[in-house]
Amino acid sequence: MSQTHNQLDVDFVRKCFPTFDTPLAAKTAFFENAGGSYVAAPVLDKLMTFYQHNKVQPYGYSDILNAAGEQMDAGRQTMADLLGVDSTTVTLGPSTTQNINTLAFACASLVCKDSEVIVTDQDHEANIGAWQRLCERTGATLKIWPVDPDNGELDINKFMQLLTPATALVCMTHSSNIIGTINPVEAVISHCRPQGTRVVVDGVSYAPHQWPDIPTLQPDAYCFSTYKTYATHLGVMFTSADFTSQLDPQCHFFNQSYPQKTLDGAGPDHASIAALDGLGDYFDNSYNHHFGQSAISLYEKTQAVSSLMHAHESELCETLLTEIADLPIRIVGRTNHHGREANIAIASDRCTSEDMSKALARQDIAAGHGHFYALRLLQKVGIKDPEDGVLRISFAHYNTNDDVERVIAVLKSVLQK
Ligand SMILES: Cc1ncc(COP(=O)(O)O)c(C=O)c1O
């Protein structure tokens, strides 16, 4: 019989990730989640089923071909259901970098030399470089929404100074993969919508912590990567029907009448698409475990489960931030858990980020260092050597209090000397 929980049941969650039963993962406190998460069991099951039973060209006259096609369709439909959107608005590509680059090419007719495109200094390069290159190709002006050099945050007032009637596109991250602060995407969209400015949101760093609520947010485009949301290595890109209809197709000419293929310039891995169906099972099972059976939609279930995940991570995040507050370190970003994701960037004058990362690794704690492709952000907040960069401790909902205590112990022993 199912039991209802108002907190995330972490024991239940960890049992849903077979990686924890492997020797290396069993001894590791894993805080490299922003680089890529572990994969939920139902996703692995669907991946295995596809490879074992019907890894063949989808659809045709044979049953085996049809089974392959149906599994892929199920994966795509499940992703749409998880997001609460129509499946024709979802592009599945090999990665977010690829998807955004394709989108930037598709925006060529929307910008001209009199247009302006706003990007931020806070973003991963995937959501800056593609737009910079678009501006170089079209003669449009690239405007940079600068970060606060003290904490790396974006101020909406600075954005308002940049927005003009000529702004064609605003490209921003929902939360940074370095500082974790949740950005005012709703406010940006509400200022842009009346004048027809398109807003492209990079949710790669946000989605693993809080499942995106696209029906509420209503962005023009929203991208994230499923290899960081407990599934296979793909990029998911939502584009609204209205936006898609204005884009230059990037697919084969004979596929142009299918909106979901318009921005598919790459032909992503079939098995990875089929396996997305398992992510639906993961959220569905988690909902049933925590809240009991219900006839509500998968989108609503996922939002509910995601709230529990976020609350759990926030609690762990607060413990870490409180315990390391007195160490000789700089936390790049907020020093408490409010308004941020549990993705913490640390730098210290006492010890390189590389040495902190190595000290953690010696105690079987995985947490990387560097600029994590947000090189411009690290330069703007004054990190002297961006290659050494910051130590990044990025959580997932399967992390435990014990994992956090281990990190605290190592950081104290290394930095209090
Ligand atoms: C915030 C952010 N945006 C974009 C990307 C690029 O995603 P992908 O690896 O799927 O290209 C990453 C990857 O780490 C990221 O953290």
Side-chain angles (χ1 to χ4, degrees), residues 49-275:
T49 303
F50 190 85
Y51 269 118
Q52 198 171 1
H53 292 266
N54 30 36
K55 204 204 83 54
V56 295
Q57 182 67 14
Y59 287 123
Y61 293 110
S62 311
D63 289 346
I64 193 166
L65 303 181
N66 288 322
E70 282 159 16
Q71 278 193 55
M72 288 178 66
D73 284 352
R76 168 182 291 283
Q77 186 58 51
T78 294
M79 180 48 67
D81 293 345
L82 283 162
L83 294 171
V85 301
D86 193 276
S87 70
T88 58
T89 61
V90 176
T91 297
L92 299 174
S95 68
T96 293
T97 304
Q98 176 70 69
N99 283 345
I100 293 179
N101 204 46
T102 304
L103 181 62
F105 274 98
C107 287
S109 300
L110 297 183
V111 298
C112 61
K113 65 175 181 31
D114 298 326
S115 312
E116 295 169 357
V117 175
I118 298 176
V119 296
T120 84
D121 260 340
Q122 197 192 67
D123 272 72
H124 183 284
E125 192 58 25
N127 201 29
I128 306 176
W131 305 109
Q132 182 171 8
R133 293 190 291 276
L134 172 68
C135 290
E136 285 161 5
R137 283 193 299 275
T138 58
T141 302
L142 188 76
K143 291 169 109 180
I144 313 278
W145 182 359
V147 294
D148 180 329
D150 289 337
N151 58 17
E153 294 197 348
L154 293 168
D155 177 353
I156 188 77
N157 296 314
K158 293 238 164 66
F159 168 73
M160 293 308 291
Q161 290 161 14
L162 297 174
L163 184 69
T164 73
T167 311
L169 290 157
V170 177
C171 309
M172 66 181 293
T173 187
H174 204 165
S175 71
S176 145
N177 64 335
I178 302 289
I179 68 165
T181 307
I182 300 164
N183 285 322
V185 176
E186 295 87 346
V188 169
I189 292 173
S190 71
H191 289 298
C192 288
R193 176 119 320 138
Q195 61 174 48
T197 300
R198 300 294 186 177
V199 181
V200 176
V201 184
D202 175 351
V204 174
S205 187
Y206 179 90
H209 307 285
Q210 294 192 75
W211 190 254
D213 187 349
I214 289 174
T216 303
L217 199 60
Q218 296 198 11
D220 295 293
Y222 195 102
C223 307
F224 65 99
S225 306
T226 45
Y227 69 96
K228 304 185 199 250
T229 67
Y230 325 112
T232 39
H233 200 125
L234 289 170
V236 174
M237 179 162 66
F238 161 83
T239 49
S240 70
D242 163 52
F243 188 30
T244 310
S245 69
Q246 293 188 350
L247 297 170
D248 302 338
Q250 299 298 309
C251 61
H252 302 309
F253 72 90
F254 43 81
N255 281 332
Q256 287 182 8
S257 57
Y258 304 98
Q260 70 274 26
K261 294 189 178 175
T262 306
L263 300 169
D264 179 353
D269 175 35
H270 290 185
S272 294
I273 294 174

Side-chain angles (χ1 to χ4, degrees), residues 372-393:
F372 303 102
Y373 289 23
L375 179 66
R376 303 178 200 231
L377 171 61
L378 263 56
Q379 288 168 334
K380 297 293 170 187
V381 297
I383 298 295
K384 286 185 208 93
D385 175 4
E387 288 303 323
D388 184 54
V390 290
L391 173 72
R392 184 174 69 178
I393 301 167

Side-chain angles (χ1 to χ4, degrees), residues 202-344:
D202 175 351
V204 174
S205 187
Y206 179 90
H209 307 285
Q210 294 192 75
W211 190 254
D213 187 349
I214 289 174
T216 303
L217 199 60
Q218 296 198 11
D220 295 293
Y222 195 102
C223 307
F224 65 99
S225 306
T226 45
Y227 69 96
K228 304 185 199 250
T229 67
Y230 325 112
T232 39
H233 200 125
L234 289 170
V236 174
M237 179 162 66
F238 161 83
T239 49
S240 70
D242 163 52
F243 188 30
T244 310
S245 69
Q246 293 188 350
L247 297 170
D248 302 338
Q250 299 298 309
C251 61
H252 302 309
F253 72 90
F254 43 81
N255 281 332
Q256 287 182 8
S257 57
Y258 304 98
Q260 70 274 26
K261 294 189 178 175
T262 306
L263 300 169
D264 179 353
D269 175 35
H270 290 185
S272 294
I273 294 174
L276 292 182
D277 193 27
L279 191 60
D281 294 339
Y282 175 58
F283 276 108
D284 196 36
N285 296 341
S286 296
Y287 181 90
N288 293 342
H289 176 77
H290 289 94
F291 300 100
Q293 302 275 344
S294 164
I296 63 171
S297 69
L298 187 55
Y299 155 68
E300 291 167 294
K301 288 181 176 179
T302 305
Q303 291 297 319
V305 170
S306 169
S307 299
L308 293 184
M309 292 175 167
H310 180 62
H312 169 69
E313 286 185 23
S314 294
E315 207 177 305
L316 297 185
C317 177
E318 189 63 33
T319 304
L320 179 65
L321 289 171
T322 307
E323 288 290 328
I324 63 175
D326 294 333
L327 294 178
I329 53 170
R330 173 181 177 198
I331 294 168
V332 187
R334 297 192 175 189
T335 53
N336 62 58
H337 77 274
H338 297 290
R340 63 135 67 227
E341 299 304 354
N343 190 53
I344 297 165

